[in-house]
Amino acid sequence: MSFKQKPLAAALCLLALPFFHARAGEEAETIVVTATRQAMRANELLSDVTVIDPQEIEAAGPAASITELLARQPGIEIKADGAPGAVANVYLRGSNSGHTLLLIDGMRFGSATMGGANWSYLPLQQVERIEILRGAASSLYGSDAIGGVIQIFTRKGSGPLRPKAEAGFGSHDGSAVSAGFSGSQQNLSYALQLANQQTRGFNSINNPDNASYNRDRDGHRNSSASGSLAYTFAQDHEIGLNFLASEGRNDYDAGGPWSTPANADYHQEQNNAAYSLYSRNRLNPVWSSTLRLGRSSDDSRQFMNHARTGKIRTEQTQYQWQNDVRLPLGTALLALERLQEKVSGDQPYDHNRRSINSFLAGWNGSFEKHRLQFNLRRDDNSQFGDKNTGFIAYGYQIDDRLRLHASYGTAFKAPTFNDLYWPDAGNPDLKPETAKNRELALHYESGQHQISATAYRNDVDNLIAWAPVAPGSWIWLPANVNKARLEGLTLAYAGKLQGFDVKASADFQDPRDTILDKVLRYRSRQHGSLAMGRRHGRFDWNLEWQASSKRYQDVNNTQKLGGYALVNLQAGYRLDPDWSLFARVNNLFDRKYVLNQDYATEGANFFLGLRYAPK
């Protein structure tokens, strides 16, 4: 069966599942912000979106990394370089790791030198929910959103004062502890959460022939805090602040015969922070305004034998003014943004700062069985000038349960500071990477069942690649030389079957370098996941399965990384209304698998803990 035939057959099988009687009124109302920048019900969206709710985050456990949770979501693959805390890359719909924009409470977050976020230092303990928007989204958010957007929402307060705490221990001398509270009183809402996790880890590189091999344990620790405070000083008028901060360290293997000793003590120290102030005001019955000022920082320092060998820091200052106007038909979006990026550290960049001024407009609305969405954005970058992007989508409600939508969108990624100004190697004439994305999706929603099938094709041009100036040369330079075609089909299901909570997805994709006609590195042709669980009185359990087909280590597809399948098990027992025990076993059958050649992955491991969470 061909690549195109497999998704078609799978789609027909999956879409046939729910065509049976379902009781009305059982469908939960999920509100999503990221897909339009306006709060909308999930069943009205014209985009491919997944929401990770607080229950799924809690089931992952306090010692879990955010990348472990993301790896079980539709359309996402992960590459990690060894033990916890090591560099991890997120590939969304087969796009490059720098093609996924990360937002924290609406603010951009990441490194302007490397071109992506340091996912390993984002503490899951501070996260309340995650929204994943797949597909080109630069018309809403600007640079980087070629593969999509992942937005993290930190904890917020509502209702009476509620404390929460949990602590536990696990494999590799691991431990995790967190405590916090949230609530509201009259016009004030608040939340504060503190957390710490650490592990002695395991040896990151497991191949003795690797020049960086060092037979030691590569540990990791991370301390974090998040909070929010909001005050409603009049009806529909609110001011507030959010913050998230983390600091930690991880050991790693490096060195070799051409640089420094392989058996030296290498470690990295990382500090991340993001905070924002906002004022949300309804100026009249049809016009709402949101002003937001935010700042994020990504600060990394490398050490060998406790002597610092490198330092790099990114600061991003962000200003936003968004206006939502309710029209006789639909809702309009008008916004102005300014982003100021600054890098500093040990590298003498020719330019260490840039600014981007942006204007965006949009509209979404529906009439009878039709729904439409339009977005336009213009980004004026001080380094390379203007960039325009757009998005158009149409949806049709076939009947009460079935809806169809199609969309077309453009996106881009600005060159990083390393691409442009790395000493003696950067290329200031680089152009932005660009993308054109097309989608067709079918959604089925009935009672407790939600099913979707989304076909897409994303053509990416002007990809930046670093290559030696001559065969065998030590001098590498970047250029806009590569092209990629990312096409595939994502199938997803969430709901209840025979009393079990079930969530499943399957991805059939062809992320291809069209110059070499090869599959892109570290990306598979098929991957998927399944989770099912149930509650029995005080006891609950959840079984997870995730699998991936083979991938390739090199651009010519000669070094194969084998496929794998993993099984995880989570269970909990409520001692009384406030206290509960929880346990989790990852890689239950101790499977050996590889995400990056020569780098180890974790075998069977466990975590046990106690949670205090009054209802």
Side-chain angles (χ1 to χ4, degrees):
M1 184 175 286
S2 69
F3 169 76
K4 293 183 178 180
Q5 291 171 329
K6 276 185 179 179
L8 179 59
L12 292 173
C13 293
L14 186 62
L15 290 174
L17 285 175
F19 282 85
F20 51 82
H21 175 73
R23 288 171 292 176
E26 292 181 350
E27 185 176 342
E29 184 174 80
T30 300
I31 302 300
V32 177
V33 176
T34 310
T36 60
R37 295 181 61 135
Q38 297 168 327
M40 291 184 63
R41 291 192 295 268
N43 60 7
E44 296 178 336
L45 298 177
L46 301 178
S47 304
D48 187 14
V49 175
T50 295
V51 176
I52 306 176
D53 60 25
Q55 291 73 34
E56 189 172 353
I57 292 172
E58 186 175 276
S65 69
I66 196 168
T67 53
E68 290 173 343
L69 181 59
L70 291 175
R72 298 191 287 271
Q73 308 307 317
I76 294 183
E77 297 177 275
I78 302 295
K79 178 180 75 72
D81 295 348
V87 173
N89 294 325
V90 173
Y91 303 109
L92 184 52
R93 276 191 178 174
S95 62
N96 287 346
S97 59
H99 292 166
T100 298
L101 173 63
L102 173 63
L103 302 175
I104 297 179
D105 292 324
M107 295 285 103
R108 298 175 67 94
F109 185 84
S111 169
T113 55
M114 299 301 295
N118 193 326
W119 297 93
S120 300
Y121 282 86
L122 292 173
L124 193 59
Q125 295 151 302
Q126 307 296 349
V127 178
E128 183 171 84
R129 66 186 258 124
I130 301 172
E131 293 180 1
I132 302 167
L133 169 62
R134 289 175 283 274
S138 288
S139 60
L140 285 169
Y141 298 104
S143 178
D144 303 345
I146 287 179
V149 178
I150 296 176
Q151 179 157 202
I152 291 172
F153 295 90
T154 55
R155 299 174 186 269
K156 305 296 186 293
S158 63
L161 173 65
R162 290 184 59 197
K164 183 177 182 179
E166 58 186 12
F169 67 95
S171 301
H172 311 299
D173 298 324
S175 64
V177 59
S178 66
F181 59 86
S182 63
S184 62
Q185 185 174 7
Q186 296 181 340
N187 297 332
L188 184 69
S189 62
Y190 49 85
L192 179 66
Q193 180 85 0
L194 305 175
N196 176 269
Q197 61 183 103
Q198 54 189 344
T199 174
R200 289 187 62 195
F202 51 88
N203 189 14
S204 286
I205 293 181
N206 57 9
N207 180 7
D209 295 329
N210 188 296
S212 298
Y213 177 78
N214 183 14
R215 190 177 179 180
D216 64 351
R217 300 178 77 174
D218 296 309
H220 172 62
R221 63 167 177 81
N222 191 23
S223 299
S224 59
S226 69
S228 67
L229 187 67
Y231 180 70
T232 303
F233 56 90
Q235 185 176 359
D236 296 325
H237 293 269
E238 179 183 271
I239 58 174
L241 64 88
N242 306 299
F243 80 89
L244 169 66
S246 70
E247 67 86 20
R249 160 184 167 145
N250 73 284
D251 302 324
Y252 63 94
D253 294 334
W258 298 284
S259 54
T260 50
N263 59 354
D265 173 29
Y266 296 92
H267 76 269
Q268 172 183 262
E269 296 179 0
Q270 182 80 24
N271 290 77
N272 294 329
Y275 63 85
S276 62
L277 302 169
Y278 68 88
S279 176
R280 187 177 294 119
N281 311 92
R282 183 177 294 278
L283 303 179
N284 61 43
V286 300
W287 179 15
S288 297
S289 168
T290 302
L291 282 169
R292 192 182 298 270
L293 165 64
R295 195 170 201 185
S296 65
S297 60
D298 180 293
D299 192 339
S300 178
R301 300 168 304 283
Q302 290 75 43
F303 295 82
M304 183 188 74
N305 292 336
H306 307 291
R308 199 183 80 191
T309 58
K311 176 183 178 180
I312 192 70
R313 177 181 174 88
T314 292
E315 297 177 8
Q316 299 188 89
T317 304
Q318 302 162 74
Y319 308 87
Q320 298 176 357
W321 182 28
Q322 178 170 321
N323 299 274
D324 305 304
V325 182
R326 193 166 66 248
L327 303 174
L329 180 61
T331 303
L333 165 70
L334 296 169
L336 295 172
E337 294 185 353
R338 178 174 173 82
L339 171 65
Q340 296 171 271
E341 294 182 323
K342 178 184 177 182
V343 299
S344 58
D346 297 333
Q347 295 298 329
Y349 292 102
D350 290 341
H351 299 274
N352 66 353
R353 62 186 68 205
R354 64 184 174 192
S355 61
I356 302 96
N357 296 318
S358 308
F359 169 76
L360 60 143
W363 176 87
N364 70 79
S366 60
F367 59 96
E368 296 179 346
K369 294 186 176 183
H370 309 275
R371 173 163 286 280
L372 292 165
Q373 180 181 342
F374 304 98
N375 293 102
L376 292 171
R377 180 177 174 119
R378 183 178 181 88
D379 292 279
D380 183 7
N381 191 301
S382 61
Q383 288 179 319
F384 56 78
D386 299 334
K387 193 66 184 174
N388 300 322
T389 51
F391 177 83
I392 180 171
Y394 168 75
Y396 182 74
Q397 193 75 38
I398 300 171
D399 59 29
D400 291 341
R401 299 180 297 179
L402 201 61
R403 58 189 172 94
L404 177 75
H405 71 77
S407 65
Y408 174 82
T410 59
F412 77 100
K413 177 178 176 58
T416 68
F417 278 85
N418 284 359
D419 294 331
L420 294 163
Y421 307 122
W422 186 261
D424 301 320
N427 181 356
D429 297 324
L430 289 171
K431 301 175 183 178
E433 301 175 334
T434 60
K436 298 177 181 179
N437 184 71
R438 295 160 289 277
E439 291 186 24
L440 179 64
L442 188 63
H443 292 260
Y444 177 93
E445 291 145 349
S446 178
Q448 296 177 322
H449 307 279
Q450 296 89 43
I451 297 180
S452 65
T454 306
Y456 60 88
R457 173 168 171 165
N458 197 351
D459 293 304
V460 189
D461 292 330
N462 290 326
L463 281 168
I464 297 171
W466 287 71
V469 296
S473 174
W474 289 91
I475 302 175
W476 287 54
L477 298 176
N480 294 105
V481 295
N482 281 4
K483 296 183 178 182
R485 182 184 66 246
L486 316 172
E487 61 179 354
L489 177 72
T490 297
L491 309 175
Y493 170 83
K496 284 185 177 293
L497 291 173
Q498 303 298 316
F500 292 91
D501 295 313
V502 179
K503 183 176 180 180
S505 68
D507 281 275
F508 305 88
Q509 62 182 20
D510 187 18
R512 187 162 294 273
D513 182 326
T514 57
I515 301 297
L516 298 175
D517 194 27
K518 301 292 184 181
V519 177
L520 294 173
R521 301 171 67 200
Y522 306 116
R523 274 145 279 191
S524 66
R525 297 287 299 275
Q526 298 94 25
H527 60 93
S529 66
L530 170 66
M532 61 183 301
R534 193 166 186 171
R535 179 176 294 278
H536 307 270
R538 295 187 177 188
F539 177 73
D540 65 85
W541 60 270
N542 194 60
L543 187 68
E544 302 165 352
W545 173 86
Q546 66 184 92
S548 172
S549 64
K550 67 181 179 183
R551 292 142 295 121
Y552 294 99
Q553 177 80 17
D554 63 321
V555 297
N556 293 313
N557 293 179
T558 60
Q559 302 173 25
K560 185 174 72 173
L561 304 175
Y564 62 89
L566 305 176
V567 176
N568 309 321
L569 178 62
Q570 174 266 331
Y573 182 77
R574 185 164 293 280
L575 301 171
D576 62 30
D578 296 341
W579 294 88
S580 60
L581 296 170
F582 61 89
R584 185 175 182 87
V585 179
N586 293 321
N587 195 0
L588 179 64
F589 299 110
D590 198 27
R591 299 299 188 192
K592 307 299 180 184
Y593 65 105
V594 178
L595 297 176
N596 191 6
Q597 188 171 335
D598 291 351
Y599 285 88
T601 53
E602 196 162 13
N605 61 93
F606 74 93
F607 194 86
L608 305 174
L610 178 67
R611 179 178 293 125
Y612 173 71
K615 296 297 182 184

PDB file of all heavy atoms in Angstrom, residues 543-565:
ATOM      1  N   LEU A 543      -3.340   3.711  31.015  1.00  0.00           N
ATOM      2  CA  LEU A 543      -2.313   2.993  30.255  1.00  0.00           C
ATOM      3  C   LEU A 543      -2.004   3.777  28.987  1.00  0.00           C
ATOM      4  O   LEU A 543      -2.920   4.173  28.260  1.00  0.00           O
ATOM      5  CB  LEU A 543      -2.801   1.587  29.906  1.00  0.00           C
ATOM      6  CG  LEU A 543      -1.788   0.638  29.246  1.00  0.00           C
ATOM      7  CD1 LEU A 543      -0.682   0.265  30.228  1.00  0.00           C
ATOM      8  CD2 LEU A 543      -2.500  -0.620  28.742  1.00  0.00           C
ATOM      9  N   GLU A 544      -0.721   4.005  28.725  1.00  0.00           N
ATOM     10  CA  GLU A 544      -0.292   4.791  27.564  1.00  0.00           C
ATOM     11  C   GLU A 544       0.608   3.944  26.659  1.00  0.00           C
ATOM     12  O   GLU A 544       1.447   3.188  27.152  1.00  0.00           O
ATOM     13  CB  GLU A 544       0.481   6.037  28.002  1.00  0.00           C
ATOM     14  CG  GLU A 544      -0.288   6.969  28.912  1.00  0.00           C
ATOM     15  CD  GLU A 544       0.604   7.969  29.595  1.00  0.00           C
ATOM     16  OE1 GLU A 544       1.853   7.856  29.488  1.00  0.00           O
ATOM     17  OE2 GLU A 544       0.068   8.864  30.267  1.00  0.00           O
ATOM     18  N   TRP A 545       0.420   4.122  25.385  1.00  0.00           N
ATOM     19  CA  TRP A 545       1.255   3.445  24.387  1.00  0.00           C
ATOM     20  C   TRP A 545       1.632   4.468  23.333  1.00  0.00           C
ATOM     21  O   TRP A 545       0.805   5.249  22.867  1.00  0.00           O
ATOM     22  CB  TRP A 545       0.477   2.292  23.764  1.00  0.00           C
ATOM     23  CG  TRP A 545       1.157   1.611  22.601  1.00  0.00           C
ATOM     24  CD1 TRP A 545       2.061   0.601  22.656  1.00  0.00           C
ATOM     25  CD2 TRP A 545       0.959   1.892  21.211  1.00  0.00           C
ATOM     26  NE1 TRP A 545       2.443   0.229  21.390  1.00  0.00           N
ATOM     27  CE2 TRP A 545       1.782   1.010  20.481  1.00  0.00           C
ATOM     28  CE3 TRP A 545       0.169   2.797  20.509  1.00  0.00           C
ATOM     29  CZ2 TRP A 545       1.835   1.009  19.086  1.00  0.00           C
ATOM     30  CZ3 TRP A 545       0.221   2.816  19.127  1.00  0.00           C
ATOM     31  CH2 TRP A 545       1.049   1.920  18.430  1.00  0.00           C
ATOM     32  N   GLN A 546       2.909   4.529  22.980  1.00  0.00           N
ATOM     33  CA  GLN A 546       3.353   5.406  21.902  1.00  0.00           C
ATOM     34  C   GLN A 546       4.372   4.659  21.046  1.00  0.00           C
ATOM     35  O   GLN A 546       5.153   3.838  21.555  1.00  0.00           O
ATOM     36  CB  GLN A 546       3.951   6.707  22.436  1.00  0.00           C
ATOM     37  CG  GLN A 546       5.242   6.559  23.226  1.00  0.00           C
ATOM     38  CD  GLN A 546       5.721   7.867  23.797  1.00  0.00           C
ATOM     39  OE1 GLN A 546       5.394   8.222  24.931  1.00  0.00           O
ATOM     40  NE2 GLN A 546       6.504   8.601  23.017  1.00  0.00           N
ATOM     41  N   ALA A 547       4.339   4.926  19.749  1.00  0.00           N
ATOM     42  CA  ALA A 547       5.190   4.179  18.821  1.00  0.00           C
ATOM     43  C   ALA A 547       5.624   5.084  17.682  1.00  0.00           C
ATOM     44  O   ALA A 547       4.948   6.064  17.337  1.00  0.00           O
ATOM     45  CB  ALA A 547       4.456   2.958  18.277  1.00  0.00           C
ATOM     46  N   SER A 548       6.756   4.713  17.100  1.00  0.00           N
ATOM     47  CA  SER A 548       7.290   5.453  15.963  1.00  0.00           C
ATOM     48  C   SER A 548       7.979   4.481  15.019  1.00  0.00           C
ATOM     49  O   SER A 548       8.610   3.513  15.460  1.00  0.00           O
ATOM     50  CB  SER A 548       8.292   6.520  16.433  1.00  0.00           C
ATOM     51  OG  SER A 548       8.961   7.118  15.343  1.00  0.00           O
ATOM     52  N   SER A 549       7.871   4.748  13.725  1.00  0.00           N
ATOM     53  CA  SER A 549       8.622   3.971  12.744  1.00  0.00           C
ATOM     54  C   SER A 549      10.065   4.472  12.703  1.00  0.00           C
ATOM     55  O   SER A 549      10.446   5.395  13.425  1.00  0.00           O
ATOM     56  CB  SER A 549       7.964   4.076  11.370  1.00  0.00           C
ATOM     57  OG  SER A 549       8.008   5.405  10.892  1.00  0.00           O
ATOM     58  N   LYS A 550      10.873   3.910  11.840  1.00  0.00           N
ATOM     59  CA  LYS A 550      12.292   4.253  11.773  1.00  0.00           C
ATOM     60  C   LYS A 550      12.486   5.717  11.382  1.00  0.00           C
ATOM     61  O   LYS A 550      11.620   6.350  10.781  1.00  0.00           O
ATOM     62  CB  LYS A 550      12.996   3.360  10.752  1.00  0.00           C
ATOM     63  CG  LYS A 550      12.546   3.603   9.314  1.00  0.00           C
ATOM     64  CD  LYS A 550      13.250   2.673   8.347  1.00  0.00           C
ATOM     65  CE  LYS A 550      12.767   2.922   6.906  1.00  0.00           C
ATOM     66  NZ  LYS A 550      13.389   1.989   5.952  1.00  0.00           N
ATOM     67  N   ARG A 551      13.646   6.246  11.745  1.00  0.00           N
ATOM     68  CA  ARG A 551      14.085   7.590  11.358  1.00  0.00           C
ATOM     69  C   ARG A 551      15.518   7.490  10.852  1.00  0.00           C
ATOM     70  O   ARG A 551      16.125   6.406  10.909  1.00  0.00           O
ATOM     71  CB  ARG A 551      14.002   8.539  12.549  1.00  0.00           C
ATOM     72  CG  ARG A 551      12.579   8.842  13.010  1.00  0.00           C
ATOM     73  CD  ARG A 551      12.461   8.935  14.518  1.00  0.00           C
ATOM     74  NE  ARG A 551      12.755   7.642  15.131  1.00  0.00           N
ATOM     75  CZ  ARG A 551      13.723   7.442  16.011  1.00  0.00           C
ATOM     76  NH1 ARG A 551      14.498   8.432  16.416  1.00  0.00           N
ATOM     77  NH2 ARG A 551      13.939   6.235  16.497  1.00  0.00           N
ATOM     78  N   TYR A 552      16.067   8.603  10.420  1.00  0.00           N
ATOM     79  CA  TYR A 552      17.441   8.608   9.917  1.00  0.00           C
ATOM     80  C   TYR A 552      18.263   9.671  10.641  1.00  0.00           C
ATOM     81  O   TYR A 552      17.791  10.764  10.933  1.00  0.00           O
ATOM     82  CB  TYR A 552      17.476   8.879   8.409  1.00  0.00           C
ATOM     83  CG  TYR A 552      16.846   7.769   7.596  1.00  0.00           C
ATOM     84  CD1 TYR A 552      15.543   7.882   7.124  1.00  0.00           C
ATOM     85  CD2 TYR A 552      17.546   6.597   7.330  1.00  0.00           C
ATOM     86  CE1 TYR A 552      14.954   6.868   6.391  1.00  0.00           C
ATOM     87  CE2 TYR A 552      16.965   5.567   6.597  1.00  0.00           C
ATOM     88  CZ  TYR A 552      15.672   5.711   6.134  1.00  0.00           C
ATOM     89  OH  TYR A 552      15.091   4.698   5.406  1.00  0.00           O
ATOM     90  N   GLN A 553      19.523   9.312  10.889  1.00  0.00           N
ATOM     91  CA  GLN A 553      20.438  10.201  11.581  1.00  0.00           C
ATOM     92  C   GLN A 553      21.038  11.237  10.632  1.00  0.00           C
ATOM     93  O   GLN A 553      21.353  12.357  11.045  1.00  0.00           O
ATOM     94  CB  GLN A 553      21.573   9.365  12.218  1.00  0.00           C
ATOM     95  CG  GLN A 553      22.654  10.156  12.918  1.00  0.00           C
ATOM     96  CD  GLN A 553      22.229  10.598  14.301  1.00  0.00           C
ATOM     97  OE1 GLN A 553      21.270  10.072  14.859  1.00  0.00           O
ATOM     98  NE2 GLN A 553      22.935  11.567  14.870  1.00  0.00           N
ATOM     99  N   ASP A 554      21.195  10.892   9.356  1.00  0.00           N
ATOM    100  CA  ASP A 554      21.912  11.752   8.414  1.00  0.00           C
ATOM    101  C   ASP A 554      20.991  12.198   7.278  1.00  0.00           C
ATOM    102  O   ASP A 554      19.942  11.612   7.032  1.00  0.00           O
ATOM    103  CB  ASP A 554      23.126  11.021   7.841  1.00  0.00           C
ATOM    104  CG  ASP A 554      22.716   9.791   7.031  1.00  0.00           C
ATOM    105  OD1 ASP A 554      21.761   9.098   7.452  1.00  0.00           O
ATOM    106  OD2 ASP A 554      23.327   9.539   5.983  1.00  0.00           O
ATOM    107  N   VAL A 555      21.420  13.248   6.564  1.00  0.00           N
ATOM    108  CA  VAL A 555      20.591  13.821   5.508  1.00  0.00           C
ATOM    109  C   VAL A 555      20.460  12.889   4.311  1.00  0.00           C
ATOM    110  O   VAL A 555      19.491  12.986   3.549  1.00  0.00           O
ATOM    111  CB  VAL A 555      21.155  15.185   5.057  1.00  0.00           C
ATOM    112  CG1 VAL A 555      21.107  16.180   6.209  1.00  0.00           C
ATOM    113  CG2 VAL A 555      22.575  15.054   4.515  1.00  0.00           C
ATOM    114  N   ASN A 556      21.416  11.980   4.110  1.00  0.00           N
ATOM    115  CA  ASN A 556      21.370  11.058   2.974  1.00  0.00           C
ATOM    116  C   ASN A 556      20.637   9.760   3.274  1.00  0.00           C
ATOM    117  O   ASN A 556      20.573   8.861   2.428  1.00  0.00           O
ATOM    118  CB  ASN A 556      22.792  10.744   2.499  1.00  0.00           C
ATOM    119  CG  ASN A 556      23.467  11.961   1.890  1.00  0.00           C
ATOM    120  OD1 ASN A 556      22.880  12.656   1.069  1.00  0.00           O
ATOM    121  ND2 ASN A 556      24.699  12.230   2.311  1.00  0.00           N
ATOM    122  N   ASN A 557      20.088   9.632   4.482  1.00  0.00           N
ATOM    123  CA  ASN A 557      19.283   8.467   4.883  1.00  0.00           C
ATOM    124  C   ASN A 557      20.058   7.156   4.807  1.00  0.00           C
ATOM    125  O   ASN A 557      19.526   6.116   4.404  1.00  0.00           O
ATOM    126  CB  ASN A 557      18.014   8.365   4.020  1.00  0.00           C
ATOM    127  CG  ASN A 557      17.029   9.491   4.254  1.00  0.00           C
ATOM    128  OD1 ASN A 557      15.987   9.546   3.617  1.00  0.00           O
ATOM    129  ND2 ASN A 557      17.348  10.416   5.148  1.00  0.00           N
ATOM    130  N   THR A 558      21.319   7.189   5.243  1.00  0.00           N
ATOM    131  CA  THR A 558      22.112   5.962   5.275  1.00  0.00           C
ATOM    132  C   THR A 558      22.265   5.408   6.693  1.00  0.00           C
ATOM    133  O   THR A 558      22.544   4.222   6.856  1.00  0.00           O
ATOM    134  CB  THR A 558      23.509   6.208   4.688  1.00  0.00           C
ATOM    135  OG1 THR A 558      24.192   7.214   5.462  1.00  0.00           O
ATOM    136  CG2 THR A 558      23.411   6.672   3.240  1.00  0.00           C
ATOM    137  N   GLN A 559      22.082   6.247   7.719  1.00  0.00           N
ATOM    138  CA  GLN A 559      22.223   5.828   9.113  1.00  0.00           C
ATOM    139  C   GLN A 559      20.828   5.743   9.742  1.00  0.00           C
ATOM    140  O   GLN A 559      20.231   6.760  10.080  1.00  0.00           O
ATOM    141  CB  GLN A 559      23.105   6.817   9.884  1.00  0.00           C
ATOM    142  CG  GLN A 559      24.493   6.987   9.282  1.00  0.00           C
ATOM    143  CD  GLN A 559      25.272   8.092   9.960  1.00  0.00           C
ATOM    144  OE1 GLN A 559      25.030   8.429  11.118  1.00  0.00           O
ATOM    145  NE2 GLN A 559      26.218   8.671   9.241  1.00  0.00           N
ATOM    146  N   LYS A 560      20.346   4.529   9.877  1.00  0.00           N
ATOM    147  CA  LYS A 560      18.972   4.320  10.329  1.00  0.00           C
ATOM    148  C   LYS A 560      18.882   4.275  11.850  1.00  0.00           C
ATOM    149  O   LYS A 560      19.702   3.648  12.520  1.00  0.00           O
ATOM    150  CB  LYS A 560      18.421   3.028   9.729  1.00  0.00           C
ATOM    151  CG  LYS A 560      16.953   2.790  10.051  1.00  0.00           C
ATOM    152  CD  LYS A 560      16.396   1.575   9.312  1.00  0.00           C
ATOM    153  CE  LYS A 560      16.950   0.288   9.902  1.00  0.00           C
ATOM    154  NZ  LYS A 560      16.288  -0.901   9.319  1.00  0.00           N
ATOM    155  N   LEU A 561      17.859   4.954  12.391  1.00  0.00           N
ATOM    156  CA  LEU A 561      17.481   4.837  13.793  1.00  0.00           C
ATOM    157  C   LEU A 561      16.204   4.017  13.837  1.00  0.00           C
ATOM    158  O   LEU A 561      15.187   4.406  13.266  1.00  0.00           O
ATOM    159  CB  LEU A 561      17.257   6.223  14.417  1.00  0.00           C
ATOM    160  CG  LEU A 561      18.430   7.212  14.321  1.00  0.00           C
ATOM    161  CD1 LEU A 561      18.016   8.574  14.880  1.00  0.00           C
ATOM    162  CD2 LEU A 561      19.640   6.679  15.069  1.00  0.00           C
ATOM    163  N   GLY A 562      16.246   2.880  14.489  1.00  0.00           N
ATOM    164  CA  GLY A 562      15.136   1.935  14.444  1.00  0.00           C
ATOM    165  C   GLY A 562      13.855   2.461  15.074  1.00  0.00           C
ATOM    166  O   GLY A 562      13.878   3.340  15.950  1.00  0.00           O
ATOM    167  N   GLY A 563      12.742   1.919  14.644  1.00  0.00           N
ATOM    168  CA  GLY A 563      11.465   2.256  15.244  1.00  0.00           C
ATOM    169  C   GLY A 563      11.351   1.705  16.663  1.00  0.00           C
ATOM    170  O   GLY A 563      12.167   0.879  17.096  1.00  0.00           O
ATOM    171  N   TYR A 564      10.335   2.155  17.386  1.00  0.00           N
ATOM    172  CA  TYR A 564      10.186   1.707  18.775  1.00  0.00           C
ATOM    173  C   TYR A 564       8.730   1.833  19.200  1.00  0.00           C
ATOM    174  O   TYR A 564       7.922   2.521  18.576  1.00  0.00           O
ATOM    175  CB  TYR A 564      11.075   2.531  19.710  1.00  0.00           C
ATOM    176  CG  TYR A 564      10.744   4.007  19.741  1.00  0.00           C
ATOM    177  CD1 TYR A 564       9.804   4.517  20.636  1.00  0.00           C
ATOM    178  CD2 TYR A 564      11.357   4.886  18.862  1.00  0.00           C
ATOM    179  CE1 TYR A 564       9.489   5.857  20.665  1.00  0.00           C
ATOM    180  CE2 TYR A 564      11.052   6.247  18.883  1.00  0.00           C
ATOM    181  CZ  TYR A 564      10.128   6.717  19.783  1.00  0.00           C
ATOM    182  OH  TYR A 564       9.822   8.062  19.796  1.00  0.00           O
ATOM    183  N   ALA A 565       8.406   1.142  20.286  1.00  0.00           N
ATOM    184  CA  ALA A 565       7.093   1.247  20.926  1.00  0.00           C
ATOM    185  C   ALA A 565       7.292   1.208  22.432  1.00  0.00           C
ATOM    186  O   ALA A 565       8.042   0.367  22.942  1.00  0.00           O
ATOM    187  CB  ALA A 565       6.173   0.115  20.480  1.00  0.00           C
TER     188      ALA A 565
END
